[in-house]
Amino acid sequence: MTEPKPEAQYTFRRRGGDPITLDVRVYANIVKGAILGLSKRSWSGMEHVPLKGPAILVWNHYSDIDPILVVHYVYNAGRHPRFLLKESIVRVPVVGPILKRAGQIPVKRGSAEAADSLRILEEQLAQGHVVIMAPEGTVTKEPDRWPMKGKTGVARLALESGAPVIPIVQWGALGIHDRKRDPKFKLGRKPVTVKALPPVDLSPWRGKEVTRDDLAAVTDRIMEALRAGLAEVRGQEAPPLFDPRQHRSEESGGTE
């Protein structure tokens, strides 16, 4: 049997990864076809995405459409990613049932399930799946779309599960869709770069009782890895991690 290729696969999935049912494969190919019509891909680092076993994949979230681009990359890397999504999305005709059939996890905000979402993801990891998370929890508020301070959920999940954290940096999604632009969508194939990085070194914090300071330090370590990788992709020097809470405080102070 031919060994799976480690480099980026533009058309076919890497062999040796997660099995995919026929119906999910059909859905995935429909979505991939749409993405192919919108993007010219530059992919790399796929060898850092393990073909088997649990992993937490984190990405820099700066666009409404970039989750689809990252999922496309992970799917072609040979994995069947799991992620949390708003419960309202699964009520959308056609799209909702497809997402549920694909194993995605609907969560109603403010519910017990939302508060317990880390437990749900930890169960997915225990079953050997990969999960995808945006550590910031939302689209970045940094004015130039650089990563901002993350929330500690990813850090807690990583330390409690022992799963590796794989950063995935991406750039170019704004060429396809930008909520601040009119029109928001632009047709035509736009350059999109997606790159997986080596696992974040969390060895200083593993195997010990986790404190609040540890969670903050691990979160910053993860976000700094994303920031450094994005700086390389963008060919620019990255600013310090943007802290939206400090920014709001400064704005409030300036209006008094």
Side-chain angles (χ1 to χ4, degrees):
M1 179 178 176
T2 304
E3 289 297 317
K5 296 180 180 180
E7 66 268 19
Q9 302 291 293
Y10 286 90
T11 305
F12 304 106
R13 300 181 76 231
R14 286 167 77 205
R15 291 163 56 183
D18 295 328
I20 303 292
T21 60
L22 179 60
D23 56 344
V24 172
R25 190 181 297 272
V26 170
Y27 303 148
N29 285 335
I30 292 172
V31 175
K32 284 174 61 174
I35 296 173
L36 290 175
L38 295 171
S39 64
K40 292 188 289 187
R41 291 164 294 164
S42 176
W43 285 355
S44 61
M46 200 171 274
E47 66 273 14
H48 299 304
V49 179
L51 280 167
K52 295 291 185 182
I56 303 168
L57 310 180
V58 296
W59 91 96
N60 60 301
H61 189 15
Y62 72 97
S63 161
D64 295 321
I65 203 171
D66 62 40
I68 301 175
L69 302 176
V70 173
V71 168
H72 182 193
Y73 176 92
V74 174
Y75 178 86
N76 270 40
R79 300 311 302 262
H80 182 179
R82 267 69 173 179
F83 52 89
L84 301 175
L85 48 81
K86 295 179 184 177
E87 189 266 345
S88 58
I89 295 177
V90 301
R91 296 198 297 267
V92 176
V94 182
V95 174
I98 289 175
L99 288 171
K100 288 189 70 175
R101 182 73 182 94
Q104 306 316 321
I105 308 162
V107 175
K108 186 176 182 180
R109 286 188 174 179
S111 68
E113 290 89 349
D116 209 20
S117 59
L118 287 183
R119 179 189 59 78
I120 297 172
L121 292 178
E122 192 165 359
E123 289 174 354
Q124 294 291 318
L125 291 168
Q127 296 171 30
H129 299 306
V130 297
V131 302
I132 300 182
M133 300 180 71
E136 296 137 306
T138 185
V139 174
T140 181
K141 302 299 190 294
E142 204 280 333
D144 291 324
R145 322 291 180 127
W146 290 96
M148 62 181 181
K149 286 273 189 180
K151 298 182 178 180
T152 59
V154 173
R156 183 176 295 278
L157 183 64
L159 296 180
E160 291 183 355
S161 70
V165 177
I166 314 294
I168 297 179
V169 294
Q170 50 85 33
W171 190 246
L174 291 177
I176 302 171
H177 179 274
D178 185 350
R179 65 169 69 173
K180 299 179 181 180
R181 183 178 63 213
D182 189 21
K184 295 179 175 60
F185 268 104
K186 282 192 175 182
L187 298 178
R189 300 181 68 205
K190 304 298 188 296
V192 172
T193 299
V194 185
K195 180 180 182 180
L197 306 174
V200 181
D201 181 12
L202 302 181
S203 56
W205 298 277
R206 296 211 186 267
K208 54 179 286 190
E209 185 174 350
V210 180
T211 67
R212 183 176 299 180
D213 288 343
D214 290 336
L215 291 175
V218 168
T219 303
D220 283 349
R221 172 72 64 88
I222 292 170
M223 296 311 302
E224 286 163 1
L226 285 170
R227 180 185 61 180
L230 184 60
E232 183 177 347
V233 166
R234 291 176 60 169
Q236 299 173 336
E237 183 177 350
L241 286 177
F242 180 76
D243 188 341
R245 293 169 299 180
Q246 181 179 350
H247 186 68
R248 286 194 297 268
S249 176
E250 290 173 353
E251 286 185 337
S252 300
T255 57
E256 291 179 354

